[in-house]
Amino acid sequence: NNHSIRIAIDGPAGAGKSTVAKQVADRLSYIYIDTGAMYRAVALKAIRSSLDLHDGQALKRMLDETTVELIKNDEGQSVFLDGQDVSEEIRSHEVTNNVSFVARLAEVREDLVRRQQLLAEKGGVVMDGRDIGTHVLPKAELKVFLIASADERARRRFEENKLKGFEVNLEELKQEILLRDKRDSEREVAPLRKAEDAVELDTTSMTIQDVVAKILVLAGERAD
Ligand code: CDP
Ligand code: CDP
């Protein structure tokens, strides 16, 4: 088929969204948009600028002078903040544990959602995040909600850290993931939630290839 559809992938941390979204986009020659990376870049800049992470107006002023670009590379995507490659820095412990604070501000969400909608304007896009199916692309042809047990999600992140040479405590990692999920689910603006028309996939005992294959089948049905 040559229909370009919009695929929204949401779910909690470590459910497999970005890994799977990237591969689905490659297979379909679609663009991949990692909205979490955009929130992370905003959090990074706010931290660097010593802004109060709860001050929506200050963040809004900062955003008026901020560019965030997602550039495709061999491994996936590089993230540029004001022209500087911050792909590594936005994955730091400090950003990870503070990003939910800036992500709950209406001013920040309004600005980033507008940018995300512009990026998806032409279709042929796989976008992952927390509110893609519910707010960013409410008319997406395919919505997927990925879940996995907290133990499995923590284990995945643990393995990821080990590969990078970082020593982390599995139980601590699990608690941090649960805390971030809680903040993301309980915030007032666009909380993490499954859209009514989303297909839920529990990936706890699925391989990445299984999940990708399943989404490609669903995408094929939607594109017909
Ligand atoms: O990859 P991981 O699941 O750790 O997180 P992420 O997708 O990089 O998102 C980082 C944070 O950004 C989340 O914990 C949310 O607080 C926020 N976020 C959001 O609020 N809305 C989105 N569409 C994407 C991310
Ligand atoms: O984007 P999100 O936070 O939802 O998760 P991710 O960063 O895509 O996946 C977290 C880790 O789990 C990665 O290292 C993936 O390789 C791994 N993963 C897995 O082992 N099995 C899956 N079905 C999906 C992801």
Side-chain angles (χ1 to χ4, degrees):
N1 69 72
N2 43 29
H3 279 102
S4 288
I5 64 167
R6 290 160 295 182
I7 303 177
I9 303 184
D10 291 299
K17 300 180 299 298
S18 58
T19 309
V20 161
K22 224 174 280 169
Q23 295 193 20
V24 169
D26 276 346
R27 292 282 294 273
L28 297 172
S29 299
Y30 281 11
I31 57 168
Y32 164 55
I33 301 166
D34 178 353
T35 66
M38 299 172 79
Y39 286 94
R40 286 172 180 272
V42 170
L44 174 64
K45 184 166 178 179
I47 292 168
R48 278 181 175 174
S49 316
S50 305
L51 293 184
D52 174 356
L53 302 184
H54 304 276
D55 183 346
Q57 286 305 317
L59 268 286
K60 186 180 160 73
R61 282 192 298 275
M62 183 196 89
L63 276 165
D64 287 340
E65 291 164 13
T66 301
T67 62
V68 179
E69 290 154 294
L70 305 175
I71 315 272
K72 197 176 154 53
N73 64 26
D74 290 340
E75 293 120 65
Q77 208 155 69
S78 298
V79 184
F80 285 80
L81 171 64
D82 298 329
Q84 186 200 11
D85 188 344
V86 293
S87 312
E88 300 274 322
E89 235 181 312
I90 58 167
R91 308 286 160 195
S92 73
H93 203 236
E94 192 181 13
V95 170
T96 299
N97 288 331
N98 284 291
V99 58
S100 290
F101 297 119
V102 306
R104 76 172 169 216
L105 300 172
E107 291 88 346
V108 170
R109 302 204 73 82
E110 207 174 291
D111 184 291
L112 291 189
V113 167
R114 198 177 324 116
R115 296 182 197 213
Q116 291 154 10
Q117 287 171 336
L118 280 174
L119 291 170
E121 224 170 26
K122 296 197 178 87
V125 48
V126 185
M127 194 180 277
D128 82 320
R130 300 292 186 287
D131 63 335
I132 311 306
T134 51
H135 287 90
V136 182
L137 304 176
K139 296 193 177 134
E141 287 79 3
L142 173 60
K143 299 179 185 177
V144 179
F145 196 77
L146 294 183
I147 57 164
S149 72
D151 282 319
E152 171 63 13
R153 293 186 289 121
R155 193 196 61 77
R156 291 174 183 174
R157 279 293 150 86
F158 181 80
E159 293 299 327
E160 231 172 40
N161 277 287
K162 217 165 76 180
L163 277 177
K164 289 189 200 159
F166 298 135
E167 278 291 328
V168 289
N169 179 296
L170 181 61
E171 187 53 33
E172 241 169 67
L173 196 62
K174 183 178 162 191
Q175 292 312 319
E176 282 171 5
I177 286 177
L178 288 173
L179 182 61
R180 189 147 60 93
D181 287 346
K182 183 169 151 65
R183 288 184 189 135
D184 290 341
S185 308
E186 292 181 353
R187 68 176 177 228
E188 275 170 39
V189 195
L192 168 65
R193 189 176 297 152
K194 175 183 168 297
E196 263 177 41
D197 51 349
V199 179
E200 183 170 292
L201 283 181
D202 185 342
T203 74
T204 306
S205 48
M206 284 173 87
T207 66
I208 295 166
Q209 297 92 293
D210 289 341
V211 183
V212 171
K214 178 93 190 153
I215 295 176
L216 287 172
V217 169
L218 292 168
E221 291 167 5
R222 299 302 196 280
D224 287 341

